[in-house]
Amino acid sequence: GTDNIRAAAEATSRLFDAGHRQIGFLSAPPAGSSSLEDRMAGFLKVYAEQDVRVNRNLWITDIESAILAEYNQEALEADVRRIRDLLAANPDMTAIFATEYRVARMAVKAAELAGRRVPETLSVLCFDAPPEFLEGPRVSFMRQQERKIGMEAVRLLVDSIRNGAKGERRMIDARFVDGGSIGIINDI
């Protein structure tokens, strides 16, 4: 699978390198999802390494509409309003780390409603995006190498069948894709 801690740390470091410190963290509920928990850990790791205090008032970690199996316009609109309100209450927030593309789309819409422009007044970075951005806004993201992960899983399975190898685990690095949604803070 993807090394989500490392990928989230790289993503957060990119925001730090652009001068961002007041970074919102947006996620579906992470409990029970190792991917989301690892992305949160990678995000926090960079703050700890840089000796910068995390402002958890800039976090929303219960975005339910991101995980609903069926499309629910009411839940989606409620989550967009919550993100808009977060932005309005925190004008010093300069960036958002979204754990998933759907959440990033909500953040871009909320920013628009709050009078913020991406990347001029708010940077947005997330995980994954549709192929070639076929739908929605273009945002910078960490791309999981799904094909490489699949090929490695098959190789490990064949090794296990042939040689009786026990549950070896390999982590594949994600790759950064610049979608033009990261602005640079001028006073760094």
Side-chain angles (χ1 to χ4, degrees), residues 10 141-145 148 173-177:
E10 179 184 340
F141 66 98
M142 299 304 292
R143 173 180 282 150
Q144 298 185 76
Q145 298 185 66
K148 189 173 182 178
D173 289 336
R175 293 211 170 120
F176 176 73
V177 177

Side-chain angles (χ1 to χ4, degrees), residues 6-184:
R6 185 173 178 168
E10 179 184 340
T12 307
S13 291
R14 285 182 180 277
L15 293 172
F16 264 69
D17 290 348
H20 301 283
R21 299 298 182 272
Q22 296 298 313
I23 304 170
F25 184 88
L26 305 180
S27 178
S33 168
S34 61
S35 295
L36 297 180
E37 289 173 347
D38 286 353
R39 291 172 189 176
M40 183 186 297
F43 179 83
L44 291 170
K45 180 177 185 236
V46 174
Y47 272 88
E49 289 171 353
Q50 297 291 324
D51 198 28
V52 174
R53 187 177 162 271
V54 174
N55 183 353
R56 289 187 187 247
N57 292 325
L58 304 180
W59 288 30
I60 300 176
T61 57
D62 61 349
I63 299 177
E64 296 289 339
S65 64
I67 58 171
L68 295 175
E70 293 183 23
Y71 179 76
N72 182 318
Q73 184 68 26
E74 190 175 299
L76 178 67
E77 289 174 0
D79 284 334
V80 168
R81 282 192 303 275
R82 289 174 60 215
I83 298 167
R84 179 206 59 205
D85 293 347
L86 178 72
L87 288 166
N90 295 283
D92 59 336
M93 184 189 327
T94 61
I96 287 178
F97 178 109
T99 57
E100 302 170 85
Y101 177 71
R102 188 170 182 183
V103 175
R105 286 184 61 190
M106 290 181 223
V108 170
K109 179 65 176 174
E112 179 183 303
L113 294 172
R116 308 277 292 269
R117 291 184 336 273
V118 176
E120 293 84 2
T121 62
L122 184 71
S123 294
V124 177
L125 180 62
C126 68
F127 270 75
D128 299 326
E132 301 178 31
F133 302 98
L134 293 176
E135 59 179 87
R138 186 168 166 87
V139 295
S140 299
F141 66 98
M142 299 304 292
R143 173 180 282 150
Q144 298 185 76
Q145 298 185 66
E146 292 165 345
R147 181 177 171 88
K148 189 173 182 178
I149 291 168
M151 289 172 45
E152 185 64 17
V154 169
R155 189 192 69 71
L156 290 172
L157 179 61
V158 169
D159 267 2
S160 176
I161 292 168
R162 285 185 182 157
N163 307 321
K166 300 280 181 185
E168 184 179 349
R169 185 177 168 136
R170 293 262 171 84
M171 301 304 273
I172 308 293
D173 289 336
R175 293 211 170 120
F176 176 73
V177 177
D178 187 356
S181 65
I182 300 176
I184 297 174

